Amino acid sequence: MTKTTPDIIYTIVDEAPELARNSLLPIITAFAKAADIEVETRDISLAGRILSLFPDLLSNDQRVSDDLAELGRLVKTPDANVIKLPNISASVPQLQEAISELQSQGYPIPDYPTDPQSDAEKAVRAKYDKIKGSAVNPVLREGNSDRRSAKAVKAYAKLNPHRMGEWTADNKTTVASMPGNDFYANEKSVTISAAQAGGAKIIFTNKAGEETVLKDGLSYEEGTIVDGTYMSAKALRAYIKEEVASMEPGVLFSVHLKATMMKVSDPIIFGHFVSVYLEDFLAKHGDALDFNPNSGIGTLEKLIAGNAEMEADLKAALAAKPPLYMVNSDKGITNLHVSSDVIIDASMPAVIKAGGIGWGPDGEPANTKCCIPDNCYAPVYDETVEFFKKNGKLDVTTCGAVSNVGLMAQKAEEYGSHPTTFTAPSDGIMSIVLENGETIISHEVEAGDIWRSCTAKKAPILDWIKLGIERFDATGLAAFWLDANRAHDAELIKYVKPALEEAGKDIPILAPREATSYTLEEMTKGHDVVTITGNVLRDYLTDLFPILELGTSAKMLSIVKLMNGGGLFETGAGGSAPKHVEQLQEENHLRWDSLGEFCALGESFNFLATKNRPKAAILGEAVERATEFLLVEGHSPGRKVGDNDNRSSHYWFARYWAEAISLQYEDEGLKAHFAKIRQQLVENEERILSELKADEGKPADMGGYYHADAEKVSAIMRPSKTLNAIIG
């Protein structure tokens, strides 16, 4: 680790974005070096985070530094300049797979204790739980989100529209949410006063009056909004049974959750869907199996493999229920196989983009019932589905751009609830009790209910409102997505209304359903709209609208203005990354599009330029020109072998970047340097592209999935000796 802050930090991550980094970063580093700009890396990959937990168990050459902790400190400084690629938000099955792979490579790390009994097992489980789910984003996001499509990207999408499925009024795709007793209905929220500020704890009191402290050491600042809510397990199971029973013939059944980000609550909800769907099978065989439904049907299939009776009974149990929405029909992977396979912010837009279509067990397209239990967010998708049924598919060639300002700093809202989410051990009362003895929130719960608490601090809220107003001024249309009938949102509105009055701004405050309708109506008219939302909706909407507008959310520009003055530049979503890796392994073609990385890179250089670094401004402007050229000339990656892929798109990006720098006149040294590079890239075009494509169509051995072999990956992602020699 360096003692001084690097000019730019580029993150080491996972899956397709990490493969792409191995090809793109050498180009970035070489170009930056010519402008006296230092680029360093920090490892926030799942494997890196796992290994950082156990330095005492590893040899000297196996140990890795805790780069996430270092970055967590860095993003609180004014000089922070971090380019963050998408990383794995690990579910338990993913975590276990990564641990197993590392063990097979000789790393003596412990297994993940699914049912810890001893103190040692509990300590190991506590370590692993720190990196489970969305462990990275809450640490790095010390600012609120400004996410939008770059102008060149949006212009290209209009001229080159992606394919959209047809919508008709008789489409049978629906969104089904709980009729009540969910997180929305049971939420309570308070804003901490000066007298209430200080320590707090969460207590469970059973029917006998016995108290158990579930969480101690909490601390609330004045002005913090504190929420508490729960989802009734009985109500959830009744809802699932009713939705299964009411299925129409030919419609697929599906559930859409966020088990990676909501790493405590949503796997439990997922488990209820699995156990209800397989109730006949589990009634017969459950006692004989060590099976946790939260892990999904995929784990069950492994447990019963080779047991002919159980395999036949499972097949019969699935056949007796409505057909499931499939993740991969060819491989028999269902919606209920693994909780992390169907992530709502990627899966719901895919269904909507396709015209309300999912894929069934028979490999055929069909309409689907999309179960989204919680009414905090289900109305957004329900309104979107109904809008397109009424109005037909979105016209990509004329629609406006939908951007987002998201409240996410300092673990805001539900994504900060992981340490304060609990399953009620019995009937009783869950309470938040302040240091002074005051109970600010309490709920009567039943055994198995899912209870959670979360917070949003005053400073991030005020910063979010300010950023929302700035984006409204720049765009012209915006809305705060806040529901006055939801307890948390009602507290937020108490901050928003005075701020709008003070600023003299007339920005509507609309509940999510109404805000969805407003946004869809305006964007179809060709108007650009800013959605100003909380953390979860930020996550959902920055996939939903980009996937509809651009075909993917990976092409979005995401700027996080860190509250202490630094910059965090995120590069889009990685939801499709596993499929891209699979294709690379099978046929050495990587269709990952680094457009998000290009956009973030340009903004990172532009930010560095504000620190009295004029050469950075030249590189930043040239990145924007290069990105535009690459799009217009059609050099983005294609889906099939023989098309451009990630590596060849990087060649074109480097060529256009060098050309753009060589055409400027602000710095003669850079102009001359990159004119030579541009000339070499042009003269060697045929040889470079031939070398890049030489091994396409053949299997590629990465030497690992979560912890790939660095030399093998470099050889795969940098196969052109000619390009490497030019770049350096």
Side-chain angles (χ1 to χ4, degrees):
M1 294 187 295
T2 57
K3 294 182 180 179
T4 58
T5 304
D7 294 324
I8 296 174
I9 291 178
Y10 207 91
T11 53
I12 296 171
V13 288
D14 313 278
E15 298 179 323
E18 174 57 17
L19 290 170
R21 181 194 66 82
N22 280 269
S23 170
L24 180 58
L25 186 58
I27 297 170
I28 295 172
T29 302
F31 277 53
K33 184 178 180 181
D36 303 317
I37 295 170
E38 177 188 42
V39 181
E40 293 188 8
T41 59
R42 295 293 185 273
D43 188 350
I44 59 171
S45 67
L46 178 58
R49 288 181 280 134
I50 290 172
L51 294 177
S52 72
L53 296 173
F54 302 103
D56 295 343
L57 301 181
L58 305 178
S59 63
N60 287 336
D61 61 343
Q62 290 179 325
R63 289 175 187 163
V64 301
S65 59
D66 188 348
D67 284 3
L68 179 59
E70 182 196 352
L71 285 178
R73 293 187 291 271
L74 182 64
V75 293
K76 296 177 182 178
T77 67
D79 292 327
N81 188 339
V82 181
I83 297 175
K84 180 196 170 294
L85 281 65
N87 62 280
I88 289 176
S89 295
S91 63
V92 170
Q94 287 175 304
L95 185 57
Q96 291 172 321
E97 288 173 2
I99 292 168
S100 178
E101 180 176 301
L102 287 167
Q103 290 171 337
S104 72
Q105 294 174 347
Y107 292 90
I109 56 176
D111 291 335
Y112 177 82
T114 54
D115 184 24
Q117 299 297 319
S118 67
D119 288 343
E121 288 178 336
K122 291 177 181 177
V124 170
R125 170 68 177 264
K127 282 189 174 184
Y128 278 133
D129 282 350
K130 289 180 180 179
I131 61 170
K132 190 169 67 178
S134 180
V136 171
N137 291 338
V139 174
L140 299 187
R141 287 172 171 168
E142 279 290 318
N144 292 309
S145 171
D146 175 6
R147 197 163 189 209
R148 57 189 186 272
S149 57
K151 290 182 179 179
V153 173
K154 180 63 176 176
Y156 179 81
K158 284 187 171 184
L159 294 173
N160 301 270
H162 61 86
R163 190 172 66 180
M164 297 282 285
E166 297 290 340
W167 279 94
T168 58
D170 60 353
N171 191 296
K172 294 183 178 180
T173 289
T174 56
V175 173
S177 54
M178 290 176 66
N181 226 347
D182 60 347
F183 290 129
Y184 176 92
N186 295 323
E187 189 172 65
K188 297 179 181 179
S189 187
V190 299
T191 300
I192 299 296
S193 67
Q196 293 172 319
K201 55 188 174 182
I202 297 172
I203 297 174
F204 174 73
T205 308
N206 65 19
K207 289 294 186 180
E210 299 167 333
E211 293 186 350
T212 302
V213 176
L214 299 178
K215 186 70 177 180
D216 206 350
L218 297 173
S219 181
Y220 300 139
E221 302 171 3
E222 179 185 357
T224 298
I225 297 175
V226 179
D227 306 329
T229 188
Y230 73 95
M231 178 178 284
S232 164
K234 287 182 180 178
L236 173 63
R237 295 181 70 83
Y239 149 77
I240 299 169
K241 290 180 180 180
E242 183 174 340
E243 295 302 335
V244 171
S246 65
M247 291 290 294
E248 291 188 56
V251 176
L252 307 174
F253 182 84
S254 61
V255 57
H256 301 263
L257 300 167
K258 186 76 170 180
T260 50
M261 294 288 273
M262 298 306 299
K263 63 184 180 181
V264 181
S265 61
D266 282 24
I268 299 171
I269 297 171
F270 176 80
H272 283 294
F273 274 86
V274 173
S275 62
V276 169
Y277 215 78
L278 298 181
E279 56 187 345
D280 294 338
F281 176 88
L282 294 176
K284 182 176 180 181
H285 298 292
D287 291 342
L289 292 169
D290 182 20
F291 172 60
N292 182 349
N294 298 6
S295 62
I297 293 175
T299 297
L300 178 61
E301 288 182 340
K302 293 176 183 177
L303 284 174
I304 67 172
N307 186 314
E309 179 190 359
M310 287 190 180
E311 288 180 333
D313 285 349
L314 176 59
K315 185 177 180 180
L318 289 170
K321 290 289 195 293
L324 286 169
Y325 168 103
M326 303 295 287
V327 172
N328 189 323
S329 299
D330 293 339
K331 296 185 177 180
I333 300 175
T334 73
N335 177 268
L336 299 180
H337 256 61
V338 183
S339 63
S340 57
D341 268 355
V342 182
I343 302 174
I344 183 172
D345 43 335
S347 60
M348 280 304 302
V351 169
I352 295 167
K353 174 176 174 284
I357 294 298
W359 296 90
D362 57 2
E364 295 298 319
N367 293 149
T368 180
K369 175 181 283 189
C370 304
C371 291
I372 305 173
D374 184 27
N375 284 280
C376 291
Y377 307 109
V380 170
Y381 296 109
D382 182 51
E383 187 66 25
T384 303
V385 166
E386 295 306 314
F387 181 89
F388 288 124
K389 283 183 184 180
K390 179 181 178 181
N391 297 283
K393 68 179 181 181
L394 183 68
D395 187 346
V396 180
T397 66
T398 61
C399 73
V402 177
S403 57
N404 177 263
V405 171
L407 171 61
M408 68 178 190
Q410 299 180 3
K411 304 179 183 180
E413 302 185 319
E414 294 98 324
Y415 284 169
S417 69
H418 314 318
T420 50
T421 300
F422 306 95
T423 303
S426 64
D427 295 356
I429 298 174
M430 300 286 295
S431 305
I432 301 177
V433 182
L434 300 180
E435 206 167 45
N436 63 12
E438 178 185 357
T439 298
I440 56 171
I441 290 174
S442 67
H443 293 96
E444 288 191 19
V445 294
E446 296 179 327
D449 289 351
I450 308 164
W451 186 95
R452 74 179 183 213
S453 176
C454 53
T455 62
K457 296 180 180 179
K458 181 178 179 178
I461 293 171
L462 295 178
D463 179 78
W464 167 68
I465 297 169
K466 178 175 176 289
L467 183 57
I469 291 172
E470 290 175 0
R471 292 300 304 145
F472 165 75
D473 287 342
T475 306
L477 288 175
F480 282 90
W481 292 46
L482 299 171
D483 183 354
N485 294 317
R486 181 185 172 189
H488 168 77
D489 287 6
E491 294 300 305
L492 271 178
I493 289 171
K494 294 176 184 178
Y495 279 109
V496 173
K497 282 187 173 180
L500 291 178
E501 291 174 4
E502 183 178 349
K505 303 296 179 181
D506 185 18
I507 304 176
I509 299 172
L510 303 173
R513 181 181 294 278
E514 289 69 33
T516 302
S517 177
Y518 165 79
T519 302
L520 288 168
E521 288 173 1
E522 293 297 338
M523 73 179 295
T524 56
K525 296 175 185 176
H527 300 155
D528 295 345
V529 187
V530 183
T531 61
I532 310 172
T533 72
N535 204 351
V536 175
L537 276 177
R538 168 203 59 80
D539 202 7
Y540 291 4
L541 299 189
T542 54
D543 274 304
L544 175 60
F545 288 110
I547 287 173
L548 296 179
E549 290 179 50
L550 310 175
T552 176
S553 58
K555 297 180 180 180
M556 291 290 281
L557 172 62
S558 183
I559 302 170
V560 181
K561 295 182 177 180
L562 299 172
M563 292 173 62
N564 289 327
L568 175 68
F569 307 96
E570 300 190 75
T571 67
S576 59
K579 293 181 180 179
H580 293 195
V581 177
E582 182 179 333
Q583 184 179 16
L584 178 94
Q585 292 172 319
E586 292 176 355
E587 51 191 26
N588 201 0
H589 180 85
L590 183 64
R591 67 179 189 263
W592 178 262
D593 192 337
S594 291
L595 191 59
E597 286 95 303
F598 303 157
C599 293
L601 179 65
E603 291 297 326
S604 176
F605 280 127
N606 292 340
F607 176 73
L608 184 61
T610 66
K611 309 291 184 180
N612 195 28
R613 303 289 293 275
K615 291 183 179 181
I618 293 170
L619 264 60
E621 183 177 349
V623 165
E624 294 171 11
R625 294 285 303 278
T627 303
E628 185 176 353
F629 290 156
L630 184 141
L631 288 170
V632 170
E633 295 299 324
H635 294 305
S636 295
R639 299 181 64 85
K640 299 177 181 179
V641 171
D643 295 340
N644 275 314
D645 87 334
N646 181 263
R647 292 160 290 196
S648 55
S649 76
H650 291 167
Y651 158 73
W652 289 106
F653 175 73
R655 174 169 160 175
Y656 292 141
W657 192 10
E659 180 176 338
I661 300 171
S662 71
L663 293 175
Q664 55 79 38
Y665 291 95
E666 287 83 1
D667 189 302
E668 290 297 329
L670 288 178
K671 181 180 179 68
H673 176 80
F674 284 99
K676 293 178 182 178
I677 291 177
R678 183 257 179 195
Q679 183 178 357
Q680 290 177 297
L681 292 172
V682 171
E683 291 174 349
N684 289 279
E685 174 187 328
E686 186 175 348
R687 177 183 294 179
I688 291 170
L689 292 176
S690 176
E691 290 173 349
L692 290 174
K693 293 178 177 293
D695 290 326
E696 276 213 347
K698 305 173 186 177
D701 176 17
M702 297 162 44
Y705 185 90
Y706 296 95
H707 191 248
D709 183 280
E711 291 186 4
K712 289 183 177 180
V713 171
S714 180
I716 293 168
M717 294 307 301
R718 302 192 73 199
S720 172
K721 294 181 180 179
T722 306
L723 176 60
N724 298 345
I726 295 170
I727 298 301

